[in-house]
Amino acid sequence: MNKPVIDGLPRNIIVFLVISHLVVVFPHFSTHSFWVLSLVSLCLVWRIGSSRRNWPLPTKGVRFVLVVLGFAAVYRAYGTVIGPLAGVALLILAYTFKLLEAKSKRDAYTVVTLSYFVVATAFLFDQAFSKALYLLFSCVVISAALISINQPSLQWKHHYKNAVLLVLKSLPIMVILFLFVPRVESFWSIQFDNHQAKVGLSDEMSPGDIARLGENDSVAFRAKFEKEPPPPADRYWRAMVLEDFDGKRWRRRDGRQSWGPLLQSDQDAAKEFWTAYKTWFSLNKTRQQGNYYRYDVVMEPSDKPWLFALDWAKPLTGGIDMKNGFALNAEKPIREPFVYKVESLDLTGVRQAPNWMSREFRRDINLQLPTSGNKRARQWALELREKAGSDKAFIAQVLSHFREKPFYYTLKPPLLGKDSVDQFLFSTRRGFCAHYASTFTFLARSAGIPARVVTGYQGGEQSSLDNYLLVYQFDAHAWSEVWLPEQGWVRVDPTAAVSPTRIEKGIENALGSSSSFLAQRPLSLLRYRDVPALSRLRHSMDYLRMLWIQKVVGYDGDLQTDLFRKLFGSSDLKTVVFVLVGSLIGAILLIFLVELYANRPPRASPEQRIYLRFCRKLSKRGYEKGFCEGETAFAQRVSSSSPELAEHVLRITALYIQIKYRPAGLVKNGNNLLVRDLRKQVRRLSV
Amino acid sequence: MITRAIEEASKVILGKDHQIRLAMVCLLARGNLLIEDLPGMGKTTLSQVLAQVFGLSYKRIQFTSDLLPADILGVSVFDKDSGDFTFKAGPIFAQLILADEINRASPKTQSALLEAMEERQVTVEGNTRSLPELFFVIATQNPSSQMGTYPLPESQLDRFLMRIHLGYPPAEAEKIMLMGGQGAVSAKDINTIIGPSDLAQLQSQVAQVHLSEAVVDYILRLVHFTRQRGHFLCGVSPRGSSALARSAQAWALIDGRDFVLPEDVQAVLPAVMDHRVQISSAQFGRSNDKASELLLSRVSIAG
């Protein structure tokens, strides 16, 4: 038979360990599966039961079963027992099992070490500022558990106080390690699958898609401008261009899954196009054509590769491509907050379409229409084109049609059937930007004008803190571009015709006080934009997050090299090691000095300082006052062996004793007089 | 006045100025004195001399193994003439009592004396009788290594303000004693210098002697040192620290000062501390070492 296992750990240590376990595992609750978590909870309940109600701890056989169950639960959840997610799940299980079987101080130390490690793994999945704060808090809780193992007799308040002090003292070291430890790129480039679905634009658009984003109040990205941001009506953030229409959906031209080169068949042409674009851009820039903007975009993870920029954009950060339709694309889907620098030229007024652009322009693609369907709309467009006489006049007439007929801008449009364009144009007449953009592009193509749909964001809230714009998911927008031979691509936003407020003042004003905006999110701070204090709070919170993304999460090998160059003039290995070791020693020394200062002896009183001077004088004669020797005894020792000093030394000692040990005199400032006398006497003493 | 009393006492007890001083400190601080030494070192003479110098009524109780509490406190005796019980006061109703060889009596008898010392009153057969206002016990004991002794436990040792050793007299002093010449004076021959009423006044003056914060801090450091783990078997009680302060005040008074110096504390430290704490042998090799030596060499005077 198995012998019952005896629990040798004091109860209060168990309490501390269980609390730190809960705190450490809490951030993993959302990521891990039900089976793993129930196994963890079972072990915790067992542990608490054994320390409170003297339940027996698991025997060897039971522990074996638990380990097998653990592996099974992880395999069931992730289909594997390797890889980041499964690995972390196994680590958490191992940590829990160790806590369950801990019965000696040594085990408790192991548990504490493991919990520090589990804390670090939480960073693999989420690197938000709030998470960092929480992990710092976890470190305090774990350190308190560690202190409780070493000093079990103290009260819990002392444990936590000491733990806070300990963590605070370690902060400078943390900062130094963060700044100066070389970044090992290969290790951190492991791909961590984020199972959380990200919101954002997709590379397809059917009427109603973007309306769904209209309910979402999370930040899509922020743009920090070096100077003034553009006026609201010009804030068109291009994300991608959709050119294929199948009667219902608009798709990207180069395939649904594609973020390959511009012209997949022709690498040289892509390069040529790219060079031509850059030359054209810098030419316009030097000629000071249009409005020039330079800004950093701090983007939230979207799980998609497309980036956002004002027209016409040129990326200043490496690893960004320009894709079909002058949209910016990253090499990989954006899974972590991402920062990039862009410059843009708003050339709305410029007439001439450059030659290279005309050459790239492919008329057939931008006239493509499904072979059948929406007959009424096609017919209507053709007739209107004929009546209008020119492309420009046609566009103007379509827009005024939208403006004058009872079209409405709404987040809740009625569902459309088979001939969606016909239905929208002639009967429902209620829609969101996607409806208008889609319908307008369809009409233009039907009339023989090359046109396409552009999606992205429109607008952005100016932050009260800095020159930066906050662009939310509900700012998602779709508009059209038409090709006019003398001007090139020209932006036409039919939504502006229906609801000018949407473009000028943002969606929340366009929807008016009907309160349908963010109706499902009563707690969203965005609903209370009118309250300046709340707005400032919201902006400050986002600013903090932006700084965090820019300065901490975005701090990579390149920025580190820059920092080293700026601070130390070089970034070779020798400098790095020297700086790292040097600053660590400096920080430890600093912490030590602070400790020393905090525990310094109280400041000496004036008479004590004078007496010390007196002692120093006598020490020149070889008389050292022992620290256990009284003043009188010392004076007598001195005067008996150096009688010539006796009178003076005894007088000084008598004075000092009078100040130090006698009751304070009745005379006001009596002591001050004595101190003055003492100082004079000590000054006169010559040895 | 006190100086003259000391001079007078040293006429009899030759070469023991420091011990006489300590005994007087003890008397002034209203404490009780324990003298520990070998037989024949002048313990009895010292107590006689003190009684003589201060003009106190003096009783001596020789403690033996068959001594009973009633022998000390007194008994009620049936008086045939009056047909009543009358209380025959025991030797404890005196101002100065010499409890000679206290560790030869049984613990029961010891505790009767010690309780009287502490409470300054005795209860016999249900009647509580208070002892004289001036009440001073000098107990002598033989080193406990001698045969037939019941060593006093720590709790009872703590009730004595001081414990002193007389030690062998210096050679010249012993010579004078043996020669029996001019210098030798017997205890009976000396004069009363300070009367009981003056003594009471001096006792009340002790409490007026100024204890500066620096000195109190020094006393606290000393006491705290004994309480730290490892140095001693157990730390000094608060009674011990107040004993130290009071003795230092009395010492300062005898020295003619109205304020206490650290040197006063150091002067009385061995007598006040050595019987209260014991060095733990684990830390410092020989446990025979005096606690006071360690304290005097390890605790800093300056704050």
Side-chain angles (χ1 to χ4, degrees), chain A residues 627-633 661, chain B residues 210 212 262-263 266 296 299-301:
Chain A
F627 74 105
C628 300
E629 191 176 22
E631 290 87 357
T632 320
Y661 297 113
Chain B
H210 180 69
S212 62
E263 283 87 344
Q266 293 184 335
L296 287 177
V299 180
S300 152
I301 277 186

Side-chain angles (χ1 to χ4, degrees), chain A residues 354-620:
Chain A
N355 284 337
W356 58 268
M357 208 190 268
S358 309
R359 213 169 44 237
E360 187 261 345
F361 168 64
R362 287 175 63 193
R363 205 176 172 80
D364 56 327
I365 292 175
N366 292 300
L367 284 174
Q368 173 268 340
L369 282 175
T371 43
S372 61
N374 296 315
K375 283 203 184 95
R376 271 184 80 191
R378 288 181 204 231
Q379 193 59 37
W380 186 79
L382 277 174
E383 281 166 16
L384 192 67
R385 172 69 183 84
E386 241 163 72
K387 245 193 281 170
S390 75
D391 289 350
K392 270 190 177 172
F394 170 78
I395 293 165
Q397 288 198 2
V398 172
L399 289 182
S400 66
H401 178 75
F402 281 147
R403 198 175 302 125
E404 280 151 22
K405 290 279 166 345
F407 281 92
Y408 295 101
Y409 179 73
T410 170
L411 269 179
K412 294 191 181 98
L415 281 174
L416 299 175
K418 197 171 150 245
D419 287 335
S420 57
V421 179
D422 280 3
Q423 232 182 325
F424 176 72
L425 195 57
F426 299 111
S427 56
T428 64
R429 288 182 173 174
R430 285 160 189 276
F432 198 57
C433 58
H435 294 85
Y436 292 101
S438 166
T439 306
F440 178 83
T441 313
F442 182 88
L443 291 174
R445 285 185 176 185
S446 304
I449 306 168
R452 58 190 187 183
V453 171
V454 182
T455 58
Y457 293 87
Q458 199 283 325
E461 181 191 15
Q462 167 104 42
S463 167
S464 49
L465 285 161
D466 210 339
N467 266 341
Y468 85 97
L469 295 180
L470 274 157
V471 180
Y472 295 92
Q473 292 294 356
F474 57 67
D475 289 322
H477 192 50
W479 60 93
S480 302
E481 274 183 342
V482 292
W483 178 268
L484 300 176
E486 66 278 19
Q487 271 173 283
W489 285 113
V490 172
R491 179 172 64 221
V492 178
D493 189 354
T495 312
V498 179
S499 170
T501 346
R502 162 69 182 89
I503 307 307
E504 299 285 344
K505 295 200 171 144
I507 182 170
E508 63 278 14
N509 291 308
L511 294 171
S513 56
S514 61
S515 79
S516 63
F517 175 65
L518 297 179
Q520 274 143 45
R521 291 171 175 265
L523 290 179
S524 170
L525 279 177
L526 277 164
R527 286 191 62 160
Y528 308 101
R529 290 186 173 200
D530 302 341
V531 186
L534 283 179
S535 279
R536 212 169 303 128
L537 174 74
R538 196 161 44 82
H539 292 159
S540 313
M541 271 160 44
D542 190 77
Y543 193 66
L544 203 65
R545 176 164 167 78
M546 186 177 81
L547 283 181
W548 175 258
I549 293 172
Q550 261 186 310
K551 308 287 177 196
V552 181
V553 179
Y555 184 75
D556 56 6
D558 294 343
L559 284 177
Q560 191 177 35
T561 311
D562 285 352
L563 183 77
F564 268 101
R565 291 240 172 82
K566 223 186 270 172
L567 289 181
F568 313 108
S570 139
S571 64
D572 55 3
L573 192 64
K574 217 172 90 185
T575 319
V576 171
V577 171
F578 185 76
V579 165
L580 184 60
V581 172
S583 53
L584 275 181
I585 292 175
I588 290 168
L589 215 67
L590 186 78
I591 294 166
F592 177 73
L593 285 178
V594 167
E595 278 290 272
L596 215 63
Y597 181 76
N599 297 327
R600 72 196 181 282
R603 208 176 128 73
S605 58
E607 66 269 16
Q608 275 171 325
R609 270 175 288 152
I610 298 168
Y611 187 75
L612 280 177
R613 205 182 308 147
F614 164 71
C615 290
R616 275 199 297 276
K617 275 191 169 181
L618 286 179
S619 73
K620 282 183 205 150

